[in-house]
Amino acid sequence: MIMSKTRSVTTKLGVASVFAATISGSALAASSPVLKQDDFVGISFWIISMALIAATVFFFLERDRVSAKWKTSLTVSGLVTLVAAVHYFYMRDVWVATGSTPTVFRYIDWLITVPLLMIEFYLILSAITKVPVGVFWRLMIGTLVMLIGGYLGEAGYMAVWPAFIIGMAGWAYILYEIFAGQAGKINAQSAPPAVQSAFNTMRWIVTIGWAIYPVGYFFGYLTGMSPESSANALNIIYNGADVLNKIAFGLIIWTVAVSETENAKAK
């Protein structure tokens, strides 16, 4: 039995190592520009891509530690960090090669990962009670409004201030749903203490952690700084926000999943 478990763990670690090496190797093979040691923005792209790969391996390995109802949530957490890691390799290449902000790659990443993060609110509640599908769609609508508004401003399809206001309106809609809307009410009325704690922490990340993105947008487009300074500020702020919000979200899910699983086993 012990030998069987040891072989299982060894196999999982081996698969995880190959998985991480494949991602990083593919990205490196596609990377022709050389990252300079004094390019702090480029270095931030690199560090964050490594952190996201590590988080991906961790979340996928930890799926076997939790009960079945939490596996989907951890899988989604791993997918968020995996998708973000791949995009960060390519965003780094765009930055190093051109010195310009990789706006298109960043919004492609967000268009995939931010809805997945919103799905986590739906999944964590669905693991403990029946949740109306309207909660899911309202979170999706708020997410799309927020992202589309931001992209229109950053890509130059709309004046930056109106686009900023549209993006903020989408964010405000999400905050309403998770605090005062149906999602917030279901959490308060039906969730056990561990899930309530996780849900509350997640929504404060959406409130405080996501507030970093408007700060980045402001410094990137609304301060009147030189184009180089604006690009540096925007990318460093966005990069820091991404690594905090995406990995932290997954760690919160993992914490409550492990806690709920261990409590169920103890009963």
Side-chain angles (χ1 to χ4, degrees):
M1 178 69 72
I2 294 175
M3 289 297 294
S4 176
K5 289 183 177 179
T6 302
R7 283 195 298 270
S8 176
V9 171
T10 303
T11 301
K12 290 174 186 175
L13 290 175
V15 171
S17 299
V18 172
F19 169 74
T22 300
I23 295 175
S24 56
S26 300
L28 285 171
S31 302
S32 54
V34 177
L35 177 61
K36 296 179 180 179
Q37 295 184 10
D38 60 351
D39 183 356
F40 297 110
V41 178
I43 290 170
S44 73
F45 277 114
W46 184 258
I47 291 173
I48 292 167
S49 63
M50 293 294 102
L52 289 166
I53 286 179
T56 300
V57 174
F58 176 79
F59 293 140
F60 284 160
L61 287 176
E62 286 293 295
R63 286 183 75 257
D64 290 341
R65 185 179 173 187
V66 302
S67 59
K69 67 181 181 180
W70 294 107
K71 291 184 185 295
T72 301
S73 293
L74 278 184
T75 299
V76 171
S77 297
L79 290 174
V80 167
T81 52
L82 171 60
V83 171
V86 174
H87 279 92
Y88 262 86
F89 278 116
Y90 285 97
M91 287 193 290
R92 184 210 65 143
D93 283 352
V94 171
W95 174 265
V96 173
T98 67
S100 61
T101 299
T103 302
V104 172
F105 284 107
R106 194 180 290 280
Y107 272 89
I108 292 173
D109 171 35
W110 285 347
L111 192 62
I112 299 170
T113 58
V114 176
L116 287 175
L117 291 174
M118 289 297 95
I119 288 172
E120 292 282 34
F121 281 104
Y122 182 80
L123 290 175
I124 196 174
L125 293 177
S126 296
I128 48 90
T129 189
K130 184 175 177 59
V131 182
V133 72
V135 171
F136 171 85
W137 287 113
R138 284 192 292 274
L139 290 173
M140 288 301 101
I141 290 170
T143 298
L144 291 175
V145 170
M146 178 179 66
L147 292 176
I148 291 171
Y151 178 73
L152 291 175
E154 293 203 47
Y157 293 109
M158 180 181 288
V160 290
W161 270 113
F164 180 75
I165 293 170
I166 291 172
M168 294 293 287
W171 181 37
Y173 188 74
I174 293 171
L175 292 177
Y176 172 80
E177 177 61 31
I178 59 179
F179 276 94
Q182 195 169 18
K185 292 175 181 177
I186 292 172
N187 174 62
Q189 297 169 2
S190 305
V195 174
Q196 284 193 26
S197 176
F199 189 95
N200 291 338
T201 305
M202 287 164 60
R203 64 186 180 184
W204 281 114
I205 287 179
V206 173
T207 305
I208 299 173
W210 286 22
I212 301 172
Y213 296 110
V215 173
Y217 187 101
F218 180 81
F219 277 98
Y221 301 101
L222 301 173
T223 61
M225 294 190 298
S226 68
E228 180 180 358
S229 297
S230 296
N232 288 344
L234 178 140
N235 282 287
I236 288 177
I237 293 171
Y238 277 175
N239 291 354
D242 269 355
V243 73
L244 167 66
N245 294 321
K246 289 172 181 174
I247 295 178
F249 240 76
L251 288 174
I252 293 167
I253 297 292
W254 168 77
T255 299
V256 69
V258 171
S259 174
E260 287 286 293
T261 300
E262 291 179 348
N263 288 340
K265 289 179 180 178
K267 291 180 179 179

